[in-house]
Amino acid sequence: AKAAGGNRYELADADSDARVIARHSLTNCLPAALDNGEFFIEYQPLVRLDDGTVRGAEALVRWLHPVHGVLGPDQFIPLAESTGLIVPLGHWVLQEAARQARAWRAEGTCEGPLRVNVNLSPSQLRHPALVAETVAVLDSSGLDPSALCLEVTENALIGADEEELRPLRQLADLGVDIALDDFGTGYSNLSYLRRLPVSTLKLDRSFTRGMQRAPADPVDVKIVEGIVSLAHTLDLSVTVEGVETGTQAEHLRVLGCDTAQGWYYARPGPPERLHTLSLVDAAS
Ligand code: C2E
Ligand code: CA
Ligand code: CA
Ligand code: CA
């Protein structure tokens, strides 16, 4: 991580820091880091494109390493995934995000119901206790299931059969929203999409990069148009990631996307920031 003035910092990209930080040394200190409370969560708002209100936020984990400073998830999630630590780490993120979402709701941070999105890794998805533990977190935090959205990558679900999808289906039946993350980067055929217990597609930002400036890339426009129409036919909502400019936001709104997330609205930040954002919305 590089210091960027004040208490802000920039997450260094994984490639540059990977050279500097030995993977195995990071892997070795992962378990202790969880015990020592070195992880923290930043929240990035999800904004409704039709009226600009904040509908929730995605929880994004960071590691405040005592020597290397703030590390982004791309630098340690793969290590946590390969060592199995992702299961307790992911559980901690879920617990913490649910507690935060409950607090936002209690504070009346937003007029509407505020939701929290939490990323689920493939190992968490396969873990036999997923449903029971998620239910336990909802119970102990007092968070309504409909206020939780679990994000699962398209690649983690490709090829999953009915048996493997059952935990997700159970969670969806309880009212938890399931989003298909990084949609469009993997290969999933359309008939398969119908069988998944998902209610939201999160369109990867590679599709919307061509809309950052006018004129928009006409091929990107056609692709997004097609995906939105398909998604809405299947009764799925569409969230777009990586919205960096107002031009892009306007294109995506016109194309019928439902929700947007990106630097144009806000970078990931501390939970208090969401409060300010929502109040600005409520006032305007
Ligand atoms: P993701 O789920 O696709 O999350 C979106 C990523 O895009 C985040 O990177 C976010 O900071 C970044 N982003 C947001 N808006 C913009 C924008 O306008 N432009 C650009 N260029 N980027 C934007 P981040 O925080 O580095 O997270 C990277 C990935 O790490 C996430 O990708 C997710 O797959 C994973 N991750 C983060 N937190 C968790 C977690 O708690 N558990 C698991 N399993 N994975 C996590
Ligand atoms: Ca995500
Ligand atoms: Ca994504
Ligand atoms: Ca991603």
Side-chain angles (χ1 to χ4, degrees):
K2 306 182 189 89
N7 54 7
R8 279 307 297 168
Y9 56 84
E10 296 287 330
L11 297 179
D13 61 281
D15 297 338
S16 64
D17 266 18
R19 277 184 276 122
V20 187
I21 307 167
R23 295 187 129 247
H24 73 271
S25 80
L26 277 189
T27 308
N28 288 343
C29 52
L30 266 173
L34 188 55
D35 291 338
N36 297 341
E38 292 172 15
F39 293 100
F40 66 100
I41 301 177
E42 288 194 315
Y43 295 88
Q44 187 177 34
L46 287 147
V47 178
R48 285 177 58 122
L49 277 163
D50 57 358
D51 61 8
T53 58
V54 175
R55 65 172 313 197
E58 177 174 6
L60 295 160
V61 70
R62 279 91 179 81
W63 178 5
L64 180 53
H65 189 284
V67 175
H68 303 299
V70 178
L71 303 179
D74 290 337
Q75 291 168 290
F76 61 85
I77 292 287
L79 306 178
E81 179 77 37
S82 63
T83 56
L85 192 84
I86 190 69
V87 172
L89 176 59
H91 186 254
W92 177 80
V93 172
L94 177 66
Q95 229 169 0
E96 183 55 25
R99 189 199 57 71
Q100 185 56 250
R102 183 72 183 84
W104 282 328
R105 290 196 155 202
E107 290 160 8
T109 292
C110 216
E111 315 132 89
L114 203 60
R115 300 198 318 179
V116 73
N117 287 34
V118 174
N119 293 286
L120 271 196
S121 81
S123 328
Q124 287 177 276
L125 210 55
R126 287 190 302 265
H127 198 275
L130 174 70
V131 176
E133 287 189 347
T134 305
V135 168
V137 166
L138 289 171
D139 283 348
S140 65
S141 63
L143 189 70
D144 195 81
S146 66
L148 176 66
C149 175
L150 295 175
E151 300 193 358
V152 183
T153 62
E154 185 183 17
N155 280 326
L157 291 189
I158 288 174
D161 58 24
E162 202 41 48
E163 176 77 23
E164 290 159 322
L165 289 174
R166 189 172 302 144
L168 274 191
R169 201 173 297 283
Q170 285 173 340
L171 289 168
D173 288 344
L174 288 169
V176 174
D177 190 9
I178 311 290
L180 203 52
D181 203 356
D182 300 346
F183 180 75
T185 59
Y187 167 79
S188 44
N189 68 47
L190 305 182
S191 60
Y192 183 62
L193 196 55
R194 280 181 68 180
R195 297 177 26 227
L196 298 177
V198 299
S199 40
T200 302
L201 295 186
K202 278 192 95 169
L203 195 53
D204 191 73
R205 71 186 157 90
S206 52
F207 292 102
T208 61
R209 225 173 261 148
M211 295 177 200
Q212 287 184 351
R213 271 161 285 278
D217 181 316
V219 176
D220 284 351
V221 169
K222 285 287 179 208
I223 292 175
V224 173
E225 209 166 35
I227 293 175
V228 170
S229 126
L230 164 79
H232 288 169
T233 302
L234 297 174
D235 226 4
L236 301 171
S237 133
V238 179
T239 297
V240 278
E241 307 189 292
V243 177
E244 296 184 1
T245 70
T247 308
Q248 213 177 353
E250 182 53 20
H251 275 300
L252 294 163
R253 187 188 66 77
V254 170
L255 286 169
C257 298
D258 304 288
T259 308
Q261 181 180 358
W263 298 345
Y264 173 62
Y265 302 100
R267 301 233 173 187
E272 309 80 64
R273 260 254 315 280
L274 203 73
H275 202 167
T276 331
L277 280 168
S278 319
L279 289 179
V280 169
D281 282 326
S284 62

